[in-house]
Amino acid sequence: MAIDATHDPAQTSWVASAQALGADFPIQNLPFGRIRRAGSAEPWRIGVAIGDQVLDLAAAALAGGWSAEVAALLAPLAAGDLNAVMAQGSAARRVLRSALQAGLKTGSAQQAVLATCLIAQAEVEFSLPCTVHDYTDFYTGIHHATAVGKLFRPDNPLLPNYKWVPIGYHGRASSLVVSGTAIRRPNGQFKLPGTPEGAAPDFGPCRRLDYELELGAYVGRANALGEPVPIGQAEEHLFGVGLFNDWSARDLQAWEYQPLGPFLAKNFGSTVSPWIVTMEALAPFRQPFTRPEGDPQPLPYLDSAANREAGAFDIQLQVRLQTAKMREAGEPAVALMQSNFRDSYWTLAQLLTHHTVNGCNLNPGDLLGSGTQSGPQPGQGGSLLELTGGGKQPITLPNGETRTFLQDGDSVELHAWCEREGTVRIGFGPCAGVILPAP
Ligand code: MN
């Protein structure tokens, strides 16, 4: 995960918008997404974001001028298959990153031909960036776990396993959708407040619909069934990171979650951002992994010198909300909170190693949700459940509207970016979804 020439902050692109102030996609980023022209029946192919454009890798592969090694990597991408490259590990990824950057950098001999391979991002539609066969959601936000634990179990907020086990559950990949897909409010069972113990639950549209601000890490190289990945090799099995909104029906959740955990409160839809930011692009934003004083250190299988020195990532996270009324008035989404992934209780390497320690096999494209990333301060809750104290303290928006939970027509956007002295800012692009009425 070394810093190399591809991270040089002085490097610029002949795509001028890559240098725009606050741009998510400078030449140091180069995330992958799966695209075609909006409204077309064109085949899906992989694209790379640069400024406000996408480099269409199907067109770029045809254009030629690549080494044999790069051409071989571009072939599956041109056919829309990111998983094939995810499976290959970091060495192949670095070769591709260098080649794409050489083609897009200011003064490149490939400028004239690659300029014909650009499509404006405003003119493309996205699918999921890769095929996700399996998805696991972790619970690494200790401030979220504590705040939610207090709501569900005031006397016992953080269960005794939390500081030892990276807690997770198996989610459902079939209902993962890409940013921009509307989410239908689920129907389900719930107990209204005041319903006597033993009385029948109610059934109907969810009344406590919520979002969860999460990162999603995508697995790169597979591990074979029965072969755990030691922490020293964990990052070789990670491809990159995107944003992840784990939409949650809190009333369904409260009634169904015991004894086996989340089920229909979670699997009616989960939204991912269209772009995957690679582990290479994140390299300048690494930082030490530490535990608060007095907290236990991880067991040896979840500990390494490299993980302690640079296993954590400094990634700013933000939730924005736009109500239907705001949209009609032409008012932009408003930020509800901001937090940072460096506050996560476990690193991505620890999640991958823990997931495989029993021999469980992970495949290219598998998704590991981080769990809700709430900050340590009040007002930094990564869900409405936290921001409103379990629905008891409504938040007031700038136009005077209030919210405890999401209403139909509300649009939620997650954002993320990395910013550090001596580096070029990189961003993730939005992860958005609007709520439709229950069927
Ligand atoms: Mn979650």
Side-chain angles (χ1 to χ4, degrees), residues 27-274:
I27 196 165
Q28 290 81 2
N29 192 348
L30 303 179
F32 295 95
R34 196 156 177 268
I35 58 136
R36 66 180 178 192
R37 266 173 231 277
S40 78
E42 291 175 356
W44 293 101
R45 61 271 193 187
I46 303 302
V48 170
I50 179 78
D52 60 6
Q53 305 288 307
V54 186
L55 181 67
D56 175 348
L57 295 185
L62 271 181
W66 308 102
S67 71
E69 188 182 14
V70 172
L73 290 167
L74 287 175
L77 301 178
D81 182 3
L82 187 55
N83 296 67
V85 170
M86 297 173 109
Q88 297 198 34
S90 65
R93 216 155 58 223
R94 280 197 300 275
V95 167
L96 191 57
R97 176 176 166 86
S98 292
L100 291 170
Q101 202 174 76
L104 290 167
K105 75 180 182 193
T106 303
S108 170
Q110 291 169 281
Q111 175 176 347
V113 64
L114 291 184
T116 68
C117 305
L118 294 179
I119 311 176
Q121 281 173 35
E123 291 169 18
V124 303
E125 61 184 354
F126 298 94
S127 73
L128 290 180
C130 62
T131 302
V132 182
H133 293 288
D134 279 301
Y135 141 58
T136 301
D137 200 23
F138 284 94
Y139 201 47
T140 74
I142 190 169
H143 306 295
H144 169 75
T146 305
V148 171
K150 267 184 196 148
L151 294 170
F152 285 76
R153 296 173 303 274
D155 48 333
N156 188 19
L158 207 58
L159 293 170
N161 56 9
Y162 188 86
K163 293 183 177 179
W164 299 98
V165 182
I167 301 292
Y169 70 95
H170 283 129
R172 193 164 173 85
S174 70
S175 50
L176 294 174
V177 296
V178 74
S179 176
T181 309
I183 297 291
R184 200 165 270 289
R185 179 182 300 273
N187 287 309
Q189 289 191 23
F190 48 84
K191 281 266 186 125
L192 290 172
T195 306
E197 191 125 345
D202 278 277
F203 177 86
C206 165
R207 297 173 183 217
R208 289 161 70 89
L209 186 57
D210 202 354
Y211 55 79
E212 290 190 339
L213 168 61
E214 304 196 20
L215 277 184
Y218 291 87
V219 172
R221 272 181 51 199
N223 65 298
L225 182 62
E227 291 181 15
V229 178
I231 190 149
Q233 292 167 29
E235 296 217 352
E236 184 55 29
H237 292 260
L238 286 169
F239 177 80
V241 174
L243 279 161
F244 181 65
N245 185 345
D246 181 21
W247 304 97
S248 297
R250 300 300 182 194
D251 40 3
L252 279 59
Q253 186 179 358
W255 173 232
E256 76 171 8
Y257 91 106
Q258 288 177 316
L260 284 184
F263 182 35
L264 302 182
K266 297 283 190 175
N267 68 8
F268 58 93
S270 311
T271 306
V272 301
S273 54

Side-chain angles (χ1 to χ4, degrees), residues 210-366:
D210 202 354
Y211 55 79
E212 290 190 339
L213 168 61
E214 304 196 20
L215 277 184
Y218 291 87
V219 172
R221 272 181 51 199
N223 65 298
L225 182 62
E227 291 181 15
V229 178
I231 190 149
Q233 292 167 29
E235 296 217 352
E236 184 55 29
H237 292 260
L238 286 169
F239 177 80
V241 174
L243 279 161
F244 181 65
N245 185 345
D246 181 21
W247 304 97
S248 297
R250 300 300 182 194
D251 40 3
L252 279 59
Q253 186 179 358
W255 173 232
E256 76 171 8
Y257 91 106
Q258 288 177 316
L260 284 184
F263 182 35
L264 302 182
K266 297 283 190 175
N267 68 8
F268 58 93
S270 311
T271 306
V272 301
S273 54
W275 299 109
I276 304 180
V277 176
T278 63
M279 298 306 285
E280 287 69 38
L282 292 171
F285 308 102
R286 291 177 161 277
Q287 66 162 64
F289 164 77
T290 55
R291 278 284 163 83
E293 190 129 354
D295 275 20
Q297 291 304 309
L299 292 180
Y301 81 95
L302 293 174
D303 181 42
S304 74
N307 189 64
R308 264 177 270 131
E309 278 158 28
F313 291 91
D314 183 348
I315 304 174
Q316 298 280 347
L317 302 164
Q318 190 183 62
V319 176
R320 299 180 200 166
L321 176 71
Q322 187 190 46
T323 67
K325 196 172 162 189
M326 290 164 70
R327 197 157 45 247
E328 282 153 23
E331 293 163 6
V334 60
L336 296 184
M337 58 72 70
Q338 202 167 306
S339 64
N340 195 302
F341 186 56
R342 67 178 170 229
D343 290 322
S344 167
Y345 202 72
W346 301 98
T347 64
L348 297 178
Q350 287 170 326
L351 299 186
L352 191 130
T353 289
H354 182 68
H355 204 312
T356 63
V357 73
N358 65 345
C360 175
N361 52 328
L362 299 177
N363 287 304
D366 282 2

